[in-house]
Amino acid sequence: MLKKINKFEYFAPSTLAEVISLLAEYKGKAKLYAGGTDVLVQMKQRKITPEYIIDIKKIPELNGITYSPEGELTIGALVTHGQFAISKNVPEKFTMLKEASLAVGSVQTRNRGTIVGNICTSSPAADTPPALLALDAGLKLVSSTGERTVKINDFFTGPFKNILKDTEIITEILIPGLPENSGGVYLWHSKITEEDETLVGVGIVLTVDNLENRVCTNLRIGLGSVAPTPMRAVKAEDFLKGKIVDEETIKQTAEIAANESLPRSRAEYRKEMVKVQTKRALSQALKRIER
Amino acid sequence: MKKIPIKFTINGQQREALVQPNDLLINLLRDELYLTGTKYGCGIGECGACTVFLDDELVLACLILAVTVDGKEITTIEGLARGKELHPMQISFLKNAAVQCGFCTPGMIMTAISLMKENPDPSEEEIREYMRGNICRCTGYTQIIKAIKEYAHSMKG
């Protein structure tokens, strides 16, 4: 069963305009193909049987990592995890997204799989979404009738479900600049299985007023694999804002994050690990601000 | 479905083939070119047995459409030896008995060579992390790690 995939018609357009016109024409019958590390697996498992495959790998404008003078980082739809992890265009303050990219799969799948693909698959256990939630990333969705930018926080609707229409393509990820005195971290650990699926992933961006006072002025916590979708731990975020970040408040924040997580299987263990990883991530984020 | 003509370089030789859109690279390698060194394991990107180089990048042949290798260069396990002389990584695997049933070996060796290109002097932890996507059900990995370490050591001279 896993040797063959269903028959389909193959397109390899060279412009974005062609892609969106093909998507508009074939609606739900077409699937976009970039890395193929999720799409082909889903086809082998007969979870999807697209009649048309649109290979977007030949569109140069979708392949770029740019850092603007305003501090915004833009990641194109074709950027692979492997490519991102070694990119020199990514400033050090966004290291956490490199950490999340390196948590994905294996060398072989990272060399092919894209960050945008990771978002589109919308697995609750995906690694880059918690980091992107913490970074407050936006996604640019383009179709033949126009474009819209949505926050990643509004993108996921359920396990493997999202708001992307079958006529739309995500062309890029937009990560806003970080204020001064911000630090970000992504921590994860996995089940020990053949695919090492992430059991708990925690992405954090912490901002303090200055290094003397260490009052938390902003905090975003993204959690992976502990709810039907990647989620923000907003109660924990709100708790720490305005407080001095020290051992005690970090501990309390981590407990609140664990309580608001919604794991189904291995719930008790996962909640405990949310606490542990959030605590560690906050301490490390603080250290990164100090550096 | 109409077949699509593609041109590519395989182990240094230029080739042409006619492929179906739904043919995978592994189908092309094994069923058309009879390069059966690349193994079909899980078929869903978890075991690493079908690991090859595509334009010098380590990839899984089971998760790539054959039609997309048009104009590209592929290296499989068959492309490593120079005539009758094995690649030093192959020799190190043999010397260290890092092969039992042998099914994972081609993929292991491709990944190990890729590691050496990126990091010629890896720690054991770095080796284990890099080899994460290649599964072996016989050896318990000990001899595989040893073979890679010994290779790295020998290259330092």
Side-chain angles (χ1 to χ4, degrees):
Chain A
M1 175 186 102
L2 297 178
K3 279 203 169 180
K4 284 280 176 189
I5 50 176
N6 67 277
K7 287 188 173 166
F8 52 81
E9 203 172 327
Y10 171 80
F11 298 98
S14 52
T15 65
L16 181 60
E18 288 171 78
V19 173
I20 54 179
S21 105
L22 285 167
L23 282 174
E25 190 178 343
Y26 297 122
K27 293 224 159 89
K29 293 177 184 166
K31 192 81 186 167
L32 297 174
Y33 171 89
T37 51
D38 280 334
V39 169
L40 293 183
V41 172
Q42 288 163 2
M43 287 172 74
K44 287 189 177 192
Q45 294 169 336
R46 302 287 190 268
K47 285 182 183 160
I48 55 169
T49 49
E51 289 173 41
Y52 306 94
I53 287 284
I54 307 169
D55 180 353
I56 58 171
K57 264 192 144 16
K58 289 181 181 163
I59 305 171
E61 64 189 279
L62 295 179
N63 194 4
I65 303 168
T66 49
Y67 183 58
S68 78
E70 294 76 40
E72 190 181 69
L73 186 70
T74 309
I75 305 166
L78 291 179
V79 175
T80 65
H81 299 289
Q83 188 187 340
F84 185 80
I86 58 164
S87 170
K88 293 188 171 71
N89 289 357
V90 181
E92 211 182 316
K93 58 184 171 185
F94 296 121
T95 294
M96 65 177 300
L97 191 53
K98 289 191 171 183
E99 292 166 342
S101 282
L102 286 171
V104 177
S106 60
V107 182
Q108 293 96 315
T109 47
R110 287 197 294 273
N111 279 344
R112 295 290 290 185
T114 63
I115 302 181
V116 166
N118 201 220
I119 296 168
C120 289
T121 300
S122 300
S123 162
D127 285 290
T128 55
L132 291 164
L133 280 167
L135 288 163
D136 197 27
L139 306 171
K140 192 164 150 190
L141 280 45
V142 180
S143 74
S144 59
T145 53
E147 61 177 64
R148 54 178 177 149
T149 301
V150 297
K151 283 289 180 189
I152 193 164
N153 199 23
D154 300 320
F155 185 75
F156 304 107
T157 53
F160 304 96
K161 288 195 173 81
N162 57 53
I163 61 162
L164 191 71
K165 293 185 189 139
D166 52 20
T167 51
E168 282 177 320
I169 171 175
I170 301 181
T171 55
E172 58 192 25
I173 305 167
L174 310 147
I175 301 175
L178 293 180
E180 251 185 274
N181 295 320
S182 296
V185 174
Y186 180 72
L187 294 179
W188 63 287
H189 67 285
S190 66
K191 293 179 195 170
I192 304 301
T193 64
E194 65 284 4
E195 53 180 346
D196 292 346
E197 195 184 47
T198 292
L199 192 64
V200 171
V202 179
I204 273 178
V205 172
L206 170 71
T207 309
V208 295
D209 58 344
N210 58 54
L211 285 173
E212 285 75 53
N213 295 339
R214 292 181 178 187
V215 171
C216 170
T217 52
N218 204 9
L219 172 64
R220 280 186 301 270
I221 304 175
L223 302 177
S225 211
V226 293
T229 67
M231 64 171 279
R232 284 267 297 273
V234 281
K235 285 180 193 162
E237 293 172 5
D238 288 342
F239 170 80
L240 194 62
K241 279 180 211 165
K243 293 194 178 65
I244 294 170
V245 184
D246 59 21
E247 211 177 308
E248 186 54 34
T249 53
I250 285 177
K251 204 177 133 214
Q252 288 170 315
T253 308
E255 268 165 26
I256 296 167
N259 282 333
E260 68 183 302
S261 68
L262 300 159
R264 281 185 289 191
S265 70
R266 309 188 210 187
E268 200 182 334
Y269 176 66
R270 277 189 154 106
K271 275 182 185 255
E272 188 61 28
M273 289 305 108
V274 169
K275 191 160 85 187
V276 171
Q277 298 287 39
T278 306
K279 208 164 91 178
R280 282 182 194 159
L282 279 167
S283 314
Q284 289 184 23
L286 197 60
K287 281 204 189 94
R288 284 192 178 167
I289 303 172
E290 285 164 357
R291 247 203 334 240
Chain B
M1 211 57 56
K2 214 178 84 195
K3 287 203 173 189
I4 303 167
I6 57 169
K7 282 183 190 171
F8 52 92
T9 306
I10 175 87
N11 299 331
Q13 281 190 313
Q14 294 220 334
R15 290 291 295 258
E16 291 175 23
L18 281 171
V19 296
Q20 305 268 12
N22 64 336
D23 280 340
L24 300 163
L25 177 55
I26 185 121
N27 306 133
L28 175 69
L29 294 175
R30 291 181 58 89
D31 306 339
E32 294 290 321
L33 306 173
Y34 302 114
L35 293 170
T36 52
T38 303
K39 301 301 179 204
Y40 212 129
C42 69
I44 49 173
E46 290 175 1
C47 76
C50 66
T51 303
V52 298
F53 284 101
L54 182 63
D55 282 351
D56 285 331
E57 204 163 59
L58 199 70
V59 299
L60 299 171
C62 77
L63 291 184
I64 288 174
L65 295 178
V67 60
T68 63
V69 305
D70 186 36
K72 294 188 190 291
E73 197 176 334
I74 307 148
T75 307
T76 66
I77 189 79
E78 289 91 344
L80 295 183
R82 299 247 167 93
K84 285 191 172 171
E85 195 185 326
L86 291 177
H87 186 283
M89 188 65 85
Q90 291 174 305
I91 295 171
S92 192
F93 267 62
L94 284 173
K95 256 173 61 185
N96 286 286
V99 179
Q100 279 183 239
C101 89
F103 199 83
C104 75
T105 312
M108 286 283 176
I109 289 175
M110 300 314 268
T111 307
I113 289 171
S114 174
L115 167 64
M116 290 302 127
K117 280 189 199 164
E118 285 179 31
N119 181 1
D121 190 16
S123 65
E124 174 159 343
E125 208 187 321
E126 285 169 333
I127 296 174
R128 286 184 180 272
E129 172 57 33
Y130 201 91
M131 304 298 292
R132 195 165 99 188
N134 290 77
I135 291 175
C136 173
R137 294 281 98 130
C138 306
T139 64
Y141 303 99
T142 308
Q143 298 310 105
I144 293 172
I145 309 288
K146 205 172 148 203
I148 298 169
K149 271 189 191 165
E150 199 174 289
Y151 171 93
H153 191 74
S154 72
M155 288 294 131
K156 275 198 285 188

